Amino acid sequence: MTDRVETRFIHSTGVDPQTGAVNVPIYLSSTFHQKSLDSFGPFDYSRSGNPTRLALEETIANLEGGKRGFAFSSGMAAISSAFMLLSSGDHVLVSEDVYGGTYRFITEVLNKFNIEYTFVNMTDLNEMANAIQPNTKVIYLETPSNPVMNITDIEIAAKLAKANGCLTFVDNTFMTPLYQNPLELGADIVLHSATKFLSGHSDVIAGLAVTKDEELGNRLGFIQNTFGSVLGAQDSYLLIQGIKTLGARLGQSSESARLIAEYLHNHPLIEEVYYPGFSFHPGNPIHERQAKNAGAVLSFRLADKKSARVFVEHLRIPVFAVSLGAVESILSYPATMSHGSMPAEEREKRGITDGLLRYSVGLEHPDDLVQDLTQALAQVARRNGLSIAN
């Protein structure tokens, strides 16, 4: 009998074989004594490997169904390191509505190494296929995308990549391995900003990567050790603790997100709600096939920046901040936060308007969250001279 994923999350690291401790020990050591001149043990220097970090890396590899896991100092460190598998003259295909930090790395750093890139609408498989060039080596996608929640068919993208000799990288931050397993759908590397749902408590900055096979893992391991942007032992321990509670946290947050999405969809001041759980979301059939849940993040659009400002100033419960995926609800303004590094004209092309807000739903009572939205939207209506029914 195979344990269900929620059970695997709880027992992902097992117990310490030497002491029986139910928590992984924190090895706060930068270096390790070697017993022989000619033969080193499994650890020599914590940049190259640390027992606490290894426990985390083995955990995420197991949960994502991959061969090798890697823990980095941030999500962008994981993404950047994966892109360093490329060589000068290579070309990458990227989701056009990718996270702003990824956009910045590709357009302002990766290009310095003579690596070409093309942003495409990956919800259009014909556009994706037509954009592949002879030197394309990676197809990089987010699904759901940040922040407008577009859906890409991972399995089809991976098949297209394989047919053209490319690797497929998938940012799985929003879904986590609880709800979506890109490697099982054909992806080669899955990436996480583990700062978000996997940690879940707004206390760790971390990135994770998992490779589908050992050879690719060896290559990424070389990059990790060479660059050295690894996750420390203390943060590795905290992240392991966060992962254990992911099933309960994300399950409750996702159910609340569904209720909030429905409420906002029916509110007259909300012009559009971006939520893949809606049956009328254009990517819903694909998402339901490749993921187990719509998740705990949604975005919605007010008329303009003025309305967004009034709304933010009167909302009481969510933290207004960068990031997502925490026990507390977090409201973000993509135009100046997650996608502030993207030029305004590029944001507009991707639907990241001045009235767009992203809501990461936490563990507060959903009735309190809805009441809070109601009173904040009432203030927006009042400032705009509108009358709406409660």
Side-chain angles (χ1 to χ4, degrees), residues 97-282:
D97 48 345
V98 77
Y99 165 60
T102 307
Y103 177 91
R104 177 176 54 207
F105 176 78
I106 291 168
T107 58
E108 297 186 34
V109 178
L110 203 61
N111 63 336
K112 294 180 179 179
F113 296 91
N114 194 32
I115 295 172
E116 301 172 346
Y117 59 87
T118 302
F119 291 100
V120 298
N121 174 11
M122 289 197 176
T123 65
D124 186 334
L125 296 176
N126 287 328
E127 183 175 335
M128 192 193 315
N130 291 332
I132 294 176
Q133 301 176 16
N135 60 335
T136 303
K137 300 300 180 184
V138 167
I139 294 179
Y140 182 97
L141 56 105
E142 290 179 6
T143 183
S145 67
N146 181 10
V148 293
M149 311 301 285
N150 283 327
I151 303 300
T152 299
D153 191 318
I154 298 172
E155 188 172 13
I156 295 298
K159 287 180 178 178
L160 190 61
K162 184 170 290 187
N164 288 274
C166 305
L167 296 173
T168 305
F169 297 175
V170 180
D171 184 331
N172 200 31
T173 298
F174 277 22
M175 287 292 101
T176 82
L178 181 69
Y179 289 157
Q180 186 169 266
N181 300 108
L183 298 183
E184 293 180 2
L185 297 168
D188 297 287
I189 297 181
V190 61
L191 298 154
H192 294 275
S193 173
T195 308
K196 313 302 194 296
F197 288 108
L198 289 171
S199 170
H201 294 82
S202 299
D203 56 356
V204 172
I205 299 293
L208 296 173
V210 181
T211 63
K212 188 173 187 176
D213 62 59
E214 195 72 33
E215 186 275 334
L216 188 58
N218 291 338
R219 291 168 57 195
L220 186 57
F222 176 82
I223 296 294
Q224 183 194 47
N225 188 40
T226 303
F227 277 11
S229 66
V230 296
L231 192 63
Q234 181 76 44
D235 284 344
S236 293
Y237 172 82
L238 289 173
L239 186 48
I240 289 169
Q241 297 301 94
I243 286 173
K244 289 181 179 180
T245 63
L246 178 68
R249 289 186 290 102
L250 189 51
Q252 180 176 327
S253 290
S254 297
E255 178 58 25
S256 296
R258 181 185 64 81
L259 297 173
I260 288 170
E262 291 172 352
Y263 168 80
L264 291 171
H265 174 68
N266 292 311
H267 197 285
L269 288 183
I270 303 300
E271 296 188 343
E272 188 166 3
V273 178
Y274 304 88
Y275 176 68
F278 286 147
S279 60
F280 50 83
H281 185 292

